[in-house]
Amino acid sequence: MSFKNFFIRLLITFAKPFIRTNNADRFLIVSTTGLGDTLWGTPAIRALRESYPDAYIAVITTALGKQVLENNPHINEAFVVKEPPLFSLLKLFPTLIQRKISKVLVFHISQRPVLPFCALLGASQIIGTENINKGLDFLLTDKLKTKRIHEIERRLEIVQAAGAKVSSPQMEFFPSREDHEKAKDLLPAGAVVGLHPGAKDRFKQWPPSHFIQLGRLLQQKLGCHIVVTGTPAEKFLVESVAGSIEGAIRIYEGVSIPTLAALIDKLSLYITNDTGPLHIACATKTPTIALFTPTDPVLCGPYFAPHVTALQKKMTCFPCLKKKCQESFCMMQISTDEVLQTALQLLENKK
């Protein structure tokens, strides 16, 4: 056990006699991570609300996660953990104590202080999956076994352990009418194909030259418009790809996550690496081609999304270098022609 975790155990042991336990149906969901991880939790949140229609349901999340959960009708409140997390949590503590949380459902944590914070709220149950909590499993009252299942199913198992019944693993997103209007203004009339050449990690990125070639071929064969999406940090990449495709529209800044979701919802087809916008496309039911290698789509790919086609090749390096990879050799195995033919077939099926 690390010194940090040893200190946390001492703190909780000392504080436990002074913590008043809550028993009503008042839930706090922990999902302090990225875009895709937050979306994976939406089927579980819906199942919890359907099973406990009158319960209080809150989520503690990141600023990005709050955008994903904006307008979600199944949530009463969303609380944001900012950097540095310890000070942010200390500010939230009085408010959440007043909420009298009875059950904490740990979907995913990225910051070590979050789970100890939850252990001090007086919940009678803290439910989570073992071996993914930064060595803090001793804070869980209910430990679920680690399985090789999709992240959506793992979250559904957690709410089932809290007494919820599951109806569907379909993800949800709730852009506002204003978001849809903004997205409409950003896109031209007619068929629009979206390309997303970025990803958080370079080893997940299909080569930009392939995206450029694909965009040009789609224009030639379909006469469609091309939009290239990305984050502000991916400005250079988006400009490089869009600037090499005649008339391509660039979208990488000044667009909120809900507006991006509304935009993706309006696309004729989306072609993307394994990254957050892929999971938005799964939620909006946009016809999509997902480019996978070396990550495993069984665990984190399209799930319950028949409108999404995942193209995957085997790893070229063993073990995988992951973030140390300088050239995405795995992704190079996916040819432009393979993606093009898949795109044409999907668009034909859509007619």
Side-chain angles (χ1 to χ4, degrees), residues 43-69:
I45 293 171
R46 181 182 62 247
L48 193 64
R49 174 57 70 200
E50 290 173 349
S51 302
Y52 296 94
D54 300 320
Y56 172 80
I57 301 175
V59 180
I60 186 165
T61 186
T62 60
L64 180 62
K66 188 172 183 180
Q67 286 194 63
V68 173
L69 298 173

Side-chain angles (χ1 to χ4, degrees), residues 106-238:
V106 184
F107 286 3
H108 191 96
I109 56 171
S110 296
Q111 304 91 348
R112 188 180 301 274
V114 173
L115 194 50
F117 166 80
C118 292
L120 295 171
L121 294 177
S124 56
Q125 284 184 283
I126 302 177
I127 307 171
T129 309
E130 62 183 5
N131 300 324
I132 59 170
N133 303 296
K134 302 184 180 299
L136 297 170
D137 285 2
F138 60 87
L139 295 177
L140 301 176
T141 63
D142 298 66
K143 302 173 188 177
L144 305 185
K145 294 293 183 183
T146 305
K147 302 176 184 176
R148 191 174 181 271
I149 56 176
H150 196 280
E151 283 295 307
I152 290 175
E153 285 293 340
R154 187 178 68 78
R155 287 158 172 77
L156 288 172
E157 282 196 344
I158 291 172
V159 295
Q160 285 177 310
K165 295 181 179 179
V166 175
S167 58
S168 168
Q170 172 65 50
M171 291 188 292
E172 296 180 299
F173 212 122
F174 299 93
S176 66
R177 180 179 297 179
E178 183 181 357
D179 291 316
H180 280 288
E181 289 298 323
K182 289 179 180 178
K184 185 179 179 181
D185 292 340
L186 290 169
L187 297 177
V192 182
V193 175
L195 307 178
H196 191 89
K200 182 180 178 181
D201 300 307
R202 186 172 178 178
F203 69 90
K204 296 181 181 180
Q205 295 182 17
W206 201 42
S209 58
H210 288 37
F211 274 106
I212 292 168
Q213 185 182 12
L214 177 65
R216 290 172 176 172
L217 289 170
L218 287 169
Q219 281 182 329
Q220 293 172 14
K221 293 185 176 292
L222 301 174
C224 61
H225 301 283
I226 299 293
V227 59
V228 183
T229 60
T231 66
E234 295 166 343
K235 175 180 178 179
F236 178 80
L237 177 61
V238 173

Side-chain angles (χ1 to χ4, degrees), residues 60-81:
I60 186 165
T61 186
T62 60
L64 180 62
K66 188 172 183 180
Q67 286 194 63
V68 173
L69 298 173
E70 203 170 294
N71 302 317
N72 190 308
H74 310 307
I75 297 170
N76 294 99
E77 290 184 282
F79 300 97
V80 174
V81 177

